Amino acid sequence: MTESDVIQTGIYGLDQIFLGGILKGNVILVEGAAGVGKTLLGLEFIYRGITEHDEPGIIVVFETSPRKLIRDATGFGWNLDEQQQRNKLKIIFTSPKVLDQELRSPNSLLLETAAGIGAQRIFIDGISLLRTLATGNGASGNGAASYRDLLQQFIEGLQRENLTAVLSHEVLAHQEESSALEVAEFLADTVIILKREHLHRSILRSLEVMKSRGQDYEPGKHTLRITAGKGLEVFRRVQLRARGVPTQPTSEKRSPIGCAPLDALIGGGIYDGSTTMVVGISGAGKTVLGVQLLLEGALKQGKRGMLVSLDEHPAQILRNAATLGMDLKEQIDTGMIQFLYDSPQELEIDAHFDRIIRTIEEHKIERLLIDGMTSYSSALGDQGLYRDFIHSLVAYTKNKLMTTFFNYENPELFGVSNYMPDFAISSIVDNLILMNFVELGTSLRRAITVAKARGSEHEFVTREYTIGPGGISLLPMEEGKGLPVLPFQSYYGLLSRAPTRISADLPRGGEGGAFRDAT
Amino acid sequence: MAQDNQPDLQVEGWLKTLGIESLCHWDVLVFLYRHQPTLVRAEHIARLLGDATAEVVAALDSLESSGLVQPSRVSQGVRLYQLTAPADPARRDALGRLMTLADSHTVRLLLGRRLRGNDRPDQNKKAVRLRGE
């Protein structure tokens, strides 16, 4: 399929769903209930055709007045009046009967008008009204069969004129209408289903391609958004595997995180293209470590970064970084670091994923910090969707050999009995860093452990760290001054991850436990 | 936005300039303005407006002969009706100003008042001559 074989709708994201566009000359049926955006899709198809591809178009309406269409289009920034004045567009009000006659007539005024402006696209709003002509007129006396004949003749007429047509068809509950729709679905080359569904108290719009003759497309329900001033936006569903991606690349190169002792702990920095999960309770310093990673990349390695947050607004993160002497704002101002904030309320994950990917592509991002995995899990409330999102993001960033940090807020104040108590996805990341509080005497101290580092000889020790100017710093290990390491039999409470050394004064038990004899 | 408080005399003057003489005439003009170009039979317009076909046909003929509707050939009984801006500046100006009132009641009310002023017994009859014409 070459570029000249397809017609691009120009609707954001829709051509991507059709892997580049819809085959020229295809009759495209857009179906859905009232209010799903059928007319809008047809209008945008015509408008983008004129303004982006210099393909004039015709809009045929049976019930709506052209003036109202023009008014409504203005709300999306589409000046249809101007296009009519430029002779690139004609909005024609007619009846189903006249349209049917006109498409069959060799002397057609409609087709003469279309030819007059060099129309290549046509949008007919409300094709289901043709059904009213068919009832009782079929050769077999069967309404549906005669409608089929009528529609077939109608489609033939459109193809004869080499017009790529979008036909909107309303979905109604009655049996008669649904069989009419089935006929239309069968005869059309491409069928697009638009839906508007309730999820709890919110509305989810979706677009699904049911079929498209002669070409492949992305299957499943994709997110559809209708935005004033913009129009339609289609977001490929996040679960889909990327197409045309070769074998996943792997890098031998390691890069510093921005904290030398931590780099040493993890085995000499992290591999480019690796993913790291930082697990810890709120206040442990996960965001600070992530900002360090981004600043190290931007300032010392010339790597552009991006911070994605559902938790904290940009101003707050900038302020907090500034209090630690970390000039994140300057890097954002120079464009070395991008900040992407989305509200977790009614998060549309397909649209959010698209925004992340678009920003990465536009700004050539090499380091990514996803700050606040817990907000995703609570916003989505669906384990499958959450996993799909993380899997897709990991797959994408690995293919780009990006360095990615995911911050996960673990609810446990001390120790970690479970890396991710809600939706566990720690198995898909390469590195796992634990940041916890440790209570010593009356003070809370901070401890960091690298629990996992794929392909690295990382140190399996827990180190103390502080948060201060420049970010987190690991306190030095004083050689020879640590407590002697004793065998497990010398402790009790091992499962608590806070074992206590058994006092030398206590009576010692035999094999199996210090207190067996005592109890 | 349409102006509902347009002085009647001005509106009357614009109607006179364009030769709009009845409610049906006005309704057909507004219909064509909103639906242009329209590819239908006159009967279809009459059905949508709730008028008699003969009156709509007469109004369409009148609009075409006065140069407000572009002439079109007939295809299987159907014509393509499209408004056109008159060459005469005064008529063009009158059309433009009246069309800003297309969504308001001003003109229909005025035509209705003329109907009552003429003491016509059938107030629902739409073909009403303006006073003094």
Side-chain angles (χ1 to χ4, degrees):
Chain A
M1 195 168 79
T2 65
E3 207 171 282
S4 61
D5 296 333
V6 298
I7 194 160
Q8 288 181 324
T9 64
I11 295 168
Y12 182 91
L14 187 56
D15 295 319
Q16 191 194 355
I17 301 300
F18 283 102
L19 311 178
I22 300 172
L23 277 179
K24 263 185 191 162
N26 265 16
V27 172
I28 305 151
L29 183 76
V30 181
E31 63 175 69
V36 293
K38 302 183 296 295
T39 304
L40 213 51
L41 189 147
L43 280 187
E44 190 163 357
F45 169 75
I46 296 293
Y47 181 77
R48 302 278 175 214
I50 297 166
T51 56
E52 293 174 13
H53 303 286
D54 196 25
E55 294 175 359
I58 298 259
I59 297 171
V60 178
V61 288
F62 302 130
E63 289 175 325
T64 321
S65 85
R67 199 121 292 272
K68 273 190 188 160
L69 274 192
I70 291 167
R71 179 200 65 189
D72 297 347
T74 310
F76 294 98
W78 312 329
N79 191 338
L80 299 184
D81 246 348
E82 185 190 8
Q83 301 310 328
Q84 293 213 93
Q85 282 158 20
R86 288 179 62 221
N87 227 16
K88 297 282 183 187
L89 169 70
K90 282 278 180 206
I91 306 175
I92 296 174
F93 179 85
T94 188
S95 68
K97 190 175 180 183
V98 170
L99 180 67
D100 176 49
Q101 285 174 357
E102 284 292 296
L103 281 177
R104 282 188 276 167
S105 163
N107 197 26
S108 163
L109 270 170
L110 176 79
L111 298 176
E112 185 183 286
T113 307
I117 63 167
Q120 294 179 46
R121 300 180 181 212
I122 187 166
F123 167 50
I124 301 169
D125 197 18
I127 200 72
S128 48
L129 290 170
L130 277 178
R131 194 181 53 80
T132 57
L133 302 178
T135 310
N137 293 335
S140 64
N142 177 312
S146 62
Y147 178 60
R148 190 188 193 103
D149 293 341
L150 191 75
L151 210 55
Q152 209 161 6
Q153 287 167 6
F154 182 78
I155 288 171
E156 276 302 313
L158 290 170
Q159 285 176 336
R160 203 166 39 231
E161 298 306 316
N162 207 19
L163 291 164
T164 301
V166 169
L167 316 175
S168 79
H169 199 302
E170 195 164 355
V171 172
L172 294 165
H174 307 297
Q175 178 58 37
E176 204 183 344
E177 273 99 2
S178 70
S179 61
L181 180 60
E182 280 172 26
V183 167
E185 283 172 351
F186 187 79
L187 295 177
D189 301 305
T190 301
V191 177
I192 298 172
I193 301 170
L194 303 185
K195 279 193 177 157
R196 187 173 174 275
E197 293 158 304
H198 283 91
L199 179 69
H200 309 303
R201 290 167 63 192
S202 64
I203 296 288
L204 291 180
R205 290 181 186 274
S206 67
L207 178 148
E208 182 177 1
V209 180
M210 184 203 264
K211 73 171 188 184
S212 197
R213 284 188 181 124
Q215 67 176 124
D216 199 3
Y217 55 86
E218 301 282 26
K221 270 179 166 180
H222 309 282
T223 298
L224 173 70
R225 204 187 257 179
I226 299 175
T227 313
K230 273 186 178 175
L232 295 183
E233 291 173 296
V234 184
F235 302 100
R236 183 179 180 271
R237 68 187 172 94
V238 79
Q239 296 94 333
L240 276 172
R241 286 184 183 188
R243 284 182 185 255
V245 176
T247 316
Q248 185 182 295
T250 305
S251 175
E252 299 291 327
K253 192 178 169 234
R254 289 174 179 274
S255 299
I257 293 173
C259 173
L262 181 58
D263 287 330
L265 204 61
I266 209 163
I270 44 174
Y271 284 119
D272 288 353
S274 67
T275 48
T276 303
M277 183 77 71
V278 181
V279 175
I281 191 149
S282 179
K286 301 181 298 296
T287 306
V288 175
L289 179 62
V291 169
Q292 257 173 287
L293 172 88
L294 296 182
L295 288 175
E296 167 74 20
L299 290 166
K300 297 184 183 163
Q301 298 171 42
K303 292 183 174 178
R304 291 168 184 268
M306 174 160 72
L307 195 164
V308 180
S309 174
L310 298 186
D311 292 334
E312 288 187 85
H313 280 271
Q316 190 171 310
I317 288 186
L318 292 181
R319 180 202 64 192
N320 296 348
T323 59
L324 295 173
M326 303 163 87
D327 203 347
L328 184 58
K329 187 176 182 304
E330 189 188 0
Q331 296 309 310
I332 287 177
D333 290 345
T334 58
M336 283 301 285
I337 294 176
Q338 301 295 318
F339 200 121
L340 196 155
Y341 172 78
D342 247 349
S343 169
Q345 288 173 294
E346 297 193 356
L347 182 72
E348 289 174 315
I349 199 65
D350 295 343
H352 179 69
F353 185 74
D354 178 85
R355 209 176 151 202
I356 293 174
I357 300 304
R358 208 157 15 111
T359 312
I360 289 172
E361 306 265 339
E362 272 174 31
H363 298 279
K364 299 182 171 50
I365 302 296
E366 291 181 80
R367 287 191 164 196
L368 176 65
L369 169 63
I370 305 289
D371 196 28
M373 299 296 294
T374 324
S375 297
Y376 283 99
S377 63
S378 55
L380 296 173
D382 179 305
Q383 187 165 5
L385 200 54
Y386 177 69
R387 278 188 73 95
D388 288 339
F389 168 67
I390 303 299
H391 268 291
S392 297
L393 198 55
V394 167
Y396 178 84
T397 56
K398 279 186 162 294
N399 277 315
K400 293 266 174 191
L401 282 181
M402 290 170 61
T403 301
T404 309
F405 268 44
F406 294 98
N407 284 349
Y408 178 80
E409 188 180 320
N410 191 297
E412 292 176 273
L413 185 60
F414 300 109
V416 174
S417 60
N418 194 329
Y419 291 141
M420 305 182 81
D422 49 4
F423 302 155
I425 52 150
S426 53
S427 60
I428 66 171
V429 295
D430 301 312
N431 312 312
L432 197 55
I433 299 175
L434 309 179
M435 297 172 83
N436 306 92
F437 288 129
V438 174
E439 190 180 20
L440 292 178
T442 56
S443 64
L444 280 182
R445 313 266 280 271
R446 293 183 172 100
I448 191 165
T449 311
V450 176
K452 166 180 162 185
R454 278 180 183 150
S456 303
E457 285 186 33
H458 65 104
E459 293 179 41
F460 231 2
V461 293
T462 295
R463 294 278 300 270
E464 184 174 2
Y465 68 94
T466 57
I467 299 176
I472 75 160
S473 311
L474 271 59
L475 299 187
M477 301 271 273
E478 293 184 52
E479 279 186 32
K481 290 196 173 177
L483 290 168
V485 177
L486 300 174
F488 274 7
Q489 292 100 315
S490 305
Y491 300 85
Y492 62 85
L494 284 164
L495 278 176
S496 73
R497 295 293 185 267
T500 306
R501 278 180 71 181
I502 297 162
S503 165
D505 301 333
L506 287 171
R508 306 295 294 237
E511 186 67 29
F515 299 109
R516 178 180 288 178
D517 293 339
T519 55
Chain B
M1 293 295 281
Q3 302 293 310
D4 269 327
N5 53 357
Q6 207 63 244
D8 286 357
L9 272 176
Q10 270 192 335
V11 177
E12 267 188 56
W14 297 330
L15 288 169
K16 199 173 173 183
T17 304
L18 292 181
I20 308 293
E21 297 176 341
S22 67
L23 269 177
C24 176
H25 211 151
W26 169 251
D27 286 344
V28 169
L29 179 69
V30 171
F31 178 86
L32 294 183
Y33 167 70
R34 288 191 182 131
H35 295 81
Q36 63 172 321
T38 298
L39 186 68
V40 288
R41 290 188 170 80
E43 293 93 314
H44 191 79
I45 299 177
R47 203 162 53 242
L48 291 174
L49 293 178
D51 279 323
T53 304
E55 282 185 63
V56 170
V57 170
L60 286 167
D61 287 344
S62 165
L63 288 170
E64 190 175 323
S65 61
S66 65
L68 290 174
V69 169
Q70 219 169 288
S72 151
R73 67 178 174 81
V74 181
S75 164
Q76 301 184 84
V78 178
R79 293 171 70 181
L80 187 71
Y81 297 104
Q82 186 159 5
L83 285 187
T84 181
D88 172 42
R91 284 168 56 75
R92 193 186 313 138
D93 180 62
L95 179 65
R97 286 175 187 275
L98 279 174
M99 288 307 102
T100 65
L101 301 174
D103 293 329
S104 81
H105 282 302
T106 305
V107 181
R108 296 197 97 244
L109 285 173
L110 180 69
L111 290 167
R113 277 203 298 275
R114 291 299 168 213
L115 175 70
R116 284 192 294 276
N118 283 348
D119 280 326
R120 297 283 291 267
D122 180 4
Q123 294 202 356
N124 291 325
K125 193 169 177 187
K126 294 197 173 180
V128 183
R129 295 239 159 222
L130 285 170
R131 183 188 286 174
E133 290 186 36

